[in-house]
Amino acid sequence: MNGLVKMGQQKEHKKCVQGVHNRLKSTHQCFKEFPIFREGNVHFIDTVGFPHKDRPYLKPIAVECECGSSKPQQESNRSDLTEFKKRYPEAEVFQVNKAEEIDYDKLKRFKRTMSIPRITN
């Protein structure tokens, strides 16, 4: 039975990663199992996307799918995402169980303009 649960979790995990990848590939250049060096070791982030050149208004993204991950694995994934964020400060990072949990609106860069009040006499 334990093997069946693990197989199911792996299937869910692959489905999550593929869902993120499919959603992002029209706007981002995507990489599955993106290597990140942390504490002298190579770790892999499930999916990373960098905006296509014609989409400069979007931010990079890194996603860890946590379907069936143990607490220690989730902590390790969090550290990987933190390391990614150090290298790409403008990036958005997510730990999710389903691709639908990602807030894709957070990927848009908003230019804040200072509004100057009009002076009327």
Side-chain angles (χ1 to χ4, degrees), residues 6 51 55 106:
K6 186 157 182 86
R55 312 259 180 172
K106 284 187 172 184

Side-chain angles (χ1 to χ4, degrees), residues 33-81:
E33 297 297 319
F34 186 83
I36 191 111
F37 297 92
R38 180 173 61 79
E39 299 174 356
N41 295 308
V42 179
H43 296 258
F44 296 93
I45 297 175
D46 287 332
T47 301
V48 168
F50 296 96
H52 292 306
K53 289 180 183 177
D54 63 338
R55 312 259 180 172
Y57 55 88
L58 295 175
K59 300 177 190 178
I61 181 174
V63 179
E64 285 285 5
C65 293
E66 301 296 356
C67 311
S69 295
S70 66
K71 286 289 182 193
Q73 182 63 51
Q74 290 176 15
E75 287 299 319
S76 178
N77 291 347
R78 185 173 319 190
S79 296
D80 295 346
L81 292 173

Side-chain angles (χ1 to χ4, degrees), residues 93-110:
V93 298
F94 298 92
Q95 282 182 279
V96 298
N97 287 303
K98 296 179 184 174
E100 297 79 21
E101 293 177 14
I102 295 172
D103 183 354
Y104 293 100
D105 287 333
K106 284 187 172 184
L107 299 180
K108 296 176 185 169
R109 297 177 198 258
F110 294 104

Side-chain angles (χ1 to χ4, degrees), residues 16-25 47 63 65 99 102 104:
C16 178
V17 172
Q18 192 60 48
V20 172
H21 185 82
N22 289 342
R23 170 62 175 81
L24 288 174
K25 68 183 179 183
T47 301
V63 179
C65 293
I102 295 172
Y104 293 100

Side-chain angles (χ1 to χ4, degrees), residues 78-95:
R78 185 173 319 190
S79 296
D80 295 346
L81 292 173
T82 299
E83 186 64 33
F84 185 83
K85 188 86 169 149
K86 283 181 194 173
R87 294 173 190 205
Y88 304 97
E90 72 282 4
E92 291 292 335
V93 298
F94 298 92
Q95 282 182 279

